[in-house]
């Protein structure tokens, strides 16, 4: 409704990306309504920061099914349609591949699942370079005020020291309008992307204006 109110078009579809037939149906509806696909953003993610002895296998399977497998599946099924676009992009909301023990030691299961999304960028950017499809990753420098941060990471205390999701939206837009054949295989950080565009004042993105930039929480994997 918000998109339509601004003059855009929207097709809301309920999809569980663990199921191939649901993703196929969503893509078919999208192509039928809009005539094709120019951009795929793999944002769906499941998070549980439990250690190895605490995480149960149902949760492990959920994270890997949604994060790594879901990203792979959605990308795979969208690629045939992306090849028809003039400037096709796939953007994974995934962290830089910092293969250091400190990112794994407290939550191996989650890090494996999240880095799986990053590995899709690393591999697919080369695999489909000849087709001109860009594969990039975007990750926030600070925590973002989302339900996951509120419910799992740290609650109100962390939310106040976070930025709004608008910074990720603005950074994603900056990436998606770039030429796909020349900007691919990058692990981008939201603030860095916007600095490249000439933005140096990030105060508008702070959830709590009273919090200074120095008081913002750095995001996981940064």
């Amino acid at each position: 409704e918000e998109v339509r109110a601004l003059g855009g078009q929207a097709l809301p579809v309920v999809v569980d990306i663990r199921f191939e037939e649901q993703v196929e149906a969503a893509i078919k509806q999208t192509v039928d309504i809009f005539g094709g696909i120019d951009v795929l953003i793999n944002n769906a993610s499941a998070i549980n920061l439990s250690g190895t002895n605490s995480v149960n296998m149902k949760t492990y399977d959920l994270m890997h099914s949604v994060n790594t497998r879901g990203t792979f599946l959605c990308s795979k099924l969208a690629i045939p349609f992306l090849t028809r676009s003039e400037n096709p992009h796939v953007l994974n909301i995934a962290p830089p591949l910092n293969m250091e023990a400190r990112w794994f030691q407290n939550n191996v299961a989650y890090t494996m699942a999240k880095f799986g999304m990053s590995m899709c960028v690393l591999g697919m950017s080369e695999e489909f370079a000849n087709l001109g499809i860009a594969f990039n990753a975007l990750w926030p420098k600070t925590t973002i005020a989302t339900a996951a941060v509120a419910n799992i990471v740290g609650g109100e205390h962390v939310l106040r020291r976070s930025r709004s999701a608008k910074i990720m939206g603005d950074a994603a837009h900056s990436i998606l309008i770039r030429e796909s054949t020349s900007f691919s295989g990058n692990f981008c950080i939201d603030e860095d992307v916007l600095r490249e565009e000439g933005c140096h004042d990030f105060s508008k993105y702070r959830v709590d204006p009273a919090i200074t930039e120095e008081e913002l929480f750095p995001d996981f994997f940064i």
Side-chain angles (χ1 to χ4, degrees):
E1 291 175 351
E2 291 175 351
V3 169
R4 289 169 177 161
L6 291 170
Q9 297 180 15
L11 172 67
V13 183
V14 177
V15 182
D16 186 331
I17 63 170
R18 293 176 294 176
F19 300 101
E20 186 173 356
E21 64 277 8
Q22 292 190 29
V23 179
E24 288 178 336
I27 287 178
K28 183 179 185 305
Q29 289 183 66
T30 301
V31 173
D32 289 345
I33 295 296
F34 297 106
I37 297 176
D38 298 304
V39 171
L40 169 66
I41 300 178
N42 287 306
N43 182 47
S45 187
I47 179 173
N48 185 294
L49 300 177
S50 300
T52 300
N53 289 334
S54 300
V55 69
N56 60 58
M57 293 314 294
K58 181 178 180 180
T59 300
Y60 177 97
D61 290 342
L62 174 65
M63 288 192 288
H64 283 262
S65 294
V66 173
N67 300 4
T68 302
R69 185 180 184 276
T71 294
F72 185 93
L73 173 61
C74 291
S75 301
K76 172 183 171 65
L77 295 181
I79 284 167
F81 302 97
L82 288 165
T83 58
R84 306 171 193 173
S85 172
E86 292 182 1
N87 193 38
H89 278 266
V90 175
L91 183 63
N92 295 351
I93 307 305
L97 275 172
N98 296 324
M99 303 298 284
E100 302 173 19
R102 60 186 174 131
W103 302 123
F104 290 85
Q105 63 185 21
N106 296 319
N107 30 252
V108 175
Y110 173 67
T111 300
M112 288 170 63
K114 203 64 190 175
F115 275 11
M117 298 176 68
S118 306
M119 290 179 183
C120 286
V121 170
L122 186 67
M124 292 180 185
S125 61
E126 286 295 318
E127 182 179 3
F128 299 102
N130 63 321
L131 297 178
I133 304 175
F135 287 83
N136 294 292
L138 176 63
W139 197 246
K141 183 175 181 178
T142 71
T143 51
I144 300 295
T146 63
V149 168
N151 299 327
I152 299 174
V153 178
E156 184 63 29
H157 175 65
V158 177
L159 284 179
R160 287 188 60 245
R161 287 168 170 75
S162 300
R163 286 173 172 162
S164 72
K166 190 177 188 305
I167 189 171
M168 289 290 283
D170 289 348
H173 178 265
S174 173
I175 292 169
L176 297 172
I177 61 174
R178 299 184 185 190
E179 178 55 51
S180 64
T181 55
S182 60
F183 192 82
S184 184
N186 301 286
F187 292 91
C188 306
I189 302 300
D190 57 356
E191 183 176 312
D192 295 342
V193 169
L194 295 176
R195 285 189 185 281
E196 292 174 8
E197 301 294 326
C199 177
H200 299 290
D201 181 6
F202 296 91
S203 59
K204 63 181 178 180
Y205 297 118
R206 291 201 297 267
V207 170
D208 185 345
I211 298 297
T212 66
E213 290 291 311
E214 292 73 23
E215 292 176 307
L216 292 171
F217 276 110
D219 200 275
F220 205 60
F221 300 121
I222 298 296

